[in-house]
Amino acid sequence: MQMLRVAACALMVCSAVAQHDHHNHGAPSPAATPPPSTSEGGEAGHAGHAAHAGHDAHAGHAAHAGHDAHAGHSMQMFFVSSTTATFLFEKWVTNDRGMYALAIILTGGFCALAPLLRYQVTASKGRFPLALRTVLTFVYFNVTYAAMLLAMTFNTGVWWAVMVGTTIGFGVTEYVQELSEAQTLTEEEEATAKKLGTEPHAA
């Protein structure tokens, strides 16, 4: 009886060992991933280097183009003496002395309007309706800022045209203002003299 028990235990152990070996044999062992070959690694490295170089070249080209664009649109900050000048608009360019002289004369006359318009705006208060004074103010500011932009071309002739034109306009405005004040004073004296019944004083 004891012998049968020993034999049964031995059979159970052998069966368990056999099942364990069969399980290990059926499961495939993990295979190590083979390293990339030298040729494949070289091609991948070359492709990455080419992409990096292309990116650097593109970035450098974009930066260079941006620098050129910035340099092309930079403002001139020094005076030049040239008969080739651009007047406010891209197509208003003088290419010869005759056109340049005509543009200088027109610039001076245009800038002379600024003081005259300013006088009209201030003197028309109470005499002209608000709508007309508003339009005069709009025109005055447009002329003033256009004169400023002309002066900022840093062209010597244009600069002096702006300065001389504005000064002439100021002188004419002051002269007209003095005449207007003298006429108003004379009219007031005449009105006062009529009321008093005496002759007005000679100016």
Side-chain angles (χ1 to χ4, degrees):
M1 193 67 183
Q2 186 175 2
M3 293 293 293
L4 291 174
R5 290 179 179 176
V6 172
C9 290
L11 288 173
M12 291 175 62
V13 170
C14 290
S15 177
V17 171
Q19 290 179 0
H20 181 71
D21 291 341
H22 178 73
H23 177 72
N24 290 339
H25 180 72
S29 60
T33 303
S37 62
T38 305
S39 60
E40 293 178 355
E43 291 177 358
H46 180 70
H49 180 72
H52 183 70
H55 176 72
D56 292 343
H58 179 71
H61 179 71
H64 184 69
H67 177 73
D68 291 343
H70 179 72
H73 291 83
S74 60
M75 183 184 294
Q76 181 176 281
M77 298 299 293
F78 52 88
F79 283 100
V80 294
S81 297
S82 174
T83 57
T84 302
T86 303
F87 289 80
L88 296 180
F89 298 97
E90 185 177 3
K91 294 183 179 180
W92 291 6
V93 182
T94 57
N95 297 318
D96 53 51
R97 293 183 178 181
M99 291 297 297
Y100 181 75
L102 178 61
I104 291 297
I105 295 172
L106 293 177
T107 299
F110 176 78
C111 294
L113 294 175
L116 294 171
L117 288 170
R118 182 179 180 182
Y119 169 72
Q120 290 296 329
V121 170
T122 55
S124 61
K125 187 176 182 180
R127 295 189 303 170
F128 296 159
L130 179 60
L132 180 57
R133 290 173 52 214
T134 303
V135 172
L136 288 174
T137 303
F138 174 79
V139 176
Y140 163 70
F141 279 114
N142 274 273
V143 172
T144 302
Y145 283 103
M148 180 189 67
L149 292 175
L150 286 169
M152 290 174 64
T153 59
F154 284 90
N155 183 280
T156 306
V158 177
W159 171 269
W160 286 115
V162 173
M163 296 298 107
V164 173
T166 306
T167 304
I168 292 175
F170 174 79
V172 172
T173 301
E174 290 295 313
Y175 178 72
V176 171
Q177 186 175 0
E178 289 180 359
L179 287 179
S180 178
E181 291 176 354
Q183 184 178 359
T184 302
L185 183 60
T186 302
E187 291 176 355
E188 290 177 355
E189 288 180 353
E190 289 178 354
T192 304
K194 286 180 180 181
K195 289 181 180 181
L196 298 175
T198 60
E199 294 294 332
H201 299 285

